[in-house]
Amino acid sequence: MDLPKHIGIIMDGNGRWAVNRGLKRSEGHKEGGKTLEKIALYAKNIGIKYLSVYAFSTDNFKRSEEEVNYLMDLLIYYFNNKLERVCKDNIKVVFSGRRDNLRKDVMEAMDNIILKTQNNTDCVLNICLNYGGEEEIVDASIKLANDLNQGLVKKEDINRDSFYKYLYQDLPPIDLLIRTGKEKRLSNFMLYQMIYAEIYFSDLYFPDFREKDLDDALKFFEERDRRFGGVKTD
Ligand code: FPP
């Protein structure tokens, strides 16, 4: 099977999943967390090397303080309580996003999981937290400008490939993007890495997304004819 090396997931629909059941939106995030746990393990077990997930966008700070705090507490819970499992499964956790605006206890939990998983080698789980794709390109450009000013990089060495190392994480481009929750937009997610991503939209709300649904997305990916801007030669 032709597997994508890097899968991105926009985990949308947690709130609607909960509201449809007469529950609070936070219950949807809790279920979404359980779903992510299952999907990340499954993806790693079938041989996916990079998984990037959209946990919290820079614009999600516009939500109520109650919802933002609930999400941050949930993230801390996951980082602290699933650490042992993540290590046992040899998954390396990294983060993409701006650290400013984040609560100190969130940053501490992030730093702890980064440190404890840094030598794991089976799969990289990139958690996009306080993340925006435009912000990532702007932040990378600032780092590049600093390196140029200090003579650490030459203008002629700047190109599409070398720019990756200025992004939050030096990851390969996304091969398959999955967006759940019925909407069909990119929502400022990993714009630079998305150049030739195949995009799979699922009508399921994220808490309902299961391993078999990932299989369906992989089947969709396998059937694509990826030309990367060229033409088919065979
Ligand atoms: C989008 O649904 C989802 C989020 C903003 C949060 C995603 C977070 C998790 C799945 C929690 C666990 C994450 C980690 C990394 C352990 P929405 O609230 O926009 O749903 P709606 O569109 O139905 O309102």
Side-chain angles (χ1 to χ4, degrees), residues 55-61 68-69 71-73 75-76 79 94-111 114 127-132 168:
F56 194 88
S57 76
T58 46
D59 292 325
N60 286 153
F61 273 113
V68 171
N69 276 329
L71 264 168
M72 293 300 153
D73 289 342
L75 291 169
I76 295 180
F79 303 158
V94 299
F95 291 91
S96 291
R98 288 182 174 167
R99 285 175 69 100
D100 51 1
N101 297 351
L102 287 178
R103 275 167 26 188
K104 192 163 167 279
D105 54 351
V106 177
M107 283 193 272
E108 281 166 3
M110 287 163 70
D111 288 341
I114 293 169
I127 300 176
C128 294
L129 177 48
N130 194 19
Y131 176 86
Y168 295 128

Side-chain angles (χ1 to χ4, degrees), residues 11-17 25 28-34 36 53-57 60 63 67 71 74-75 78-79 127 181 183 205-206:
M11 309 181 284
D12 197 21
N14 290 347
R16 280 166 288 162
W17 181 91
R25 292 177 55 82
H29 296 313
K30 193 165 146 197
E31 283 304 310
K34 290 185 197 162
L36 174 59
V53 295
Y54 210 176
F56 194 88
S57 76
N60 286 153
R63 296 185 178 200
E67 183 169 347
L71 264 168
L74 186 67
L75 291 169
Y78 269 100
F79 303 158
I127 300 176
E183 308 291 358
Y205 294 136
F206 187 66

Side-chain angles (χ1 to χ4, degrees), residues 137-187:
I137 296 169
V138 169
D139 290 351
S141 306
I142 294 169
K143 280 190 241 164
L144 176 58
N146 282 336
D147 275 7
L148 265 174
N149 283 343
Q150 291 178 44
L152 296 170
V153 65
K154 293 203 284 289
K155 203 166 139 194
E156 52 274 25
D157 291 333
I158 303 168
N159 53 52
R160 280 164 63 159
D161 289 338
S162 69
F163 194 76
Y164 274 85
K165 74 169 190 293
Y166 290 96
L167 299 173
Y168 295 128
Q169 299 294 335
D170 190 2
L171 304 172
I174 291 186
D175 303 299
L176 170 65
L177 172 74
I178 298 169
R179 179 172 187 141
T180 60
K182 299 193 173 109
E183 308 291 358
K184 294 186 171 52
R185 52 179 171 253
L186 295 181
S187 299

